[in-house]
Amino acid sequence: ALYLPVVAALDPTVEVDPELVSRMETLVQQGDHEAAGALIPDSLLGKFAFAGSPEDILNQVLGLFEAGVFRVELGTPHGVSSAHGIDLIGRYVLPEVAKWK
């Protein structure tokens, strides 16, 4: 919710409803990040963030590689618990990504 309005405005491949962006920005300014994030449909979230189970993350990363991406960053946040999220990425996602050619 913090980044989507900024990034969406810079990405010519994605159309985001300006009213949705306005509502999100208002909620963020009010400090209600959870409500702002809840406004983002899953189909749109998938274009801007890695989310879900380790298998979901892996499928998103591999899909990007198949589309021609050369680099992917799995930055913060890493889930409810950063340590647990990083552990899951390290154990389940990265070994499979390393196999991709």
Side-chain angles (χ1 to χ4, degrees):
L2 292 173
Y3 304 114
L4 189 137
V6 174
V7 176
L10 299 172
D11 188 338
T13 67
V14 177
E15 289 186 32
V16 180
D17 178 7
E19 184 178 315
L20 172 69
V21 171
S22 178
R23 289 187 307 182
M24 287 174 50
E25 289 174 325
T26 298
L27 289 166
V28 168
Q29 289 171 358
Q30 294 171 349
D32 195 348
H33 298 107
E34 188 172 332
L39 293 176
I40 304 170
D42 287 347
S43 60
L44 183 59
L45 181 62
K47 295 177 189 254
F48 290 96
F50 295 105
S53 69
E55 183 178 358
D56 294 331
I57 304 296
L58 176 61
N59 288 333
Q60 287 176 294
V61 169
L62 295 180
L64 289 170
F65 286 158
E66 289 170 5
V69 169
F70 295 102
R71 177 179 141 181
V72 171
E73 293 185 20
L74 299 172
T76 59
H78 294 109
V80 176
S81 161
S82 289
H84 183 64
I86 292 168
D87 178 58
L88 291 173
I89 291 168
R91 280 195 291 143
Y92 299 108
V93 178
L94 296 180
E96 295 301 316
V97 169
K99 295 177 188 176
W100 192 85
K101 294 182 178 41

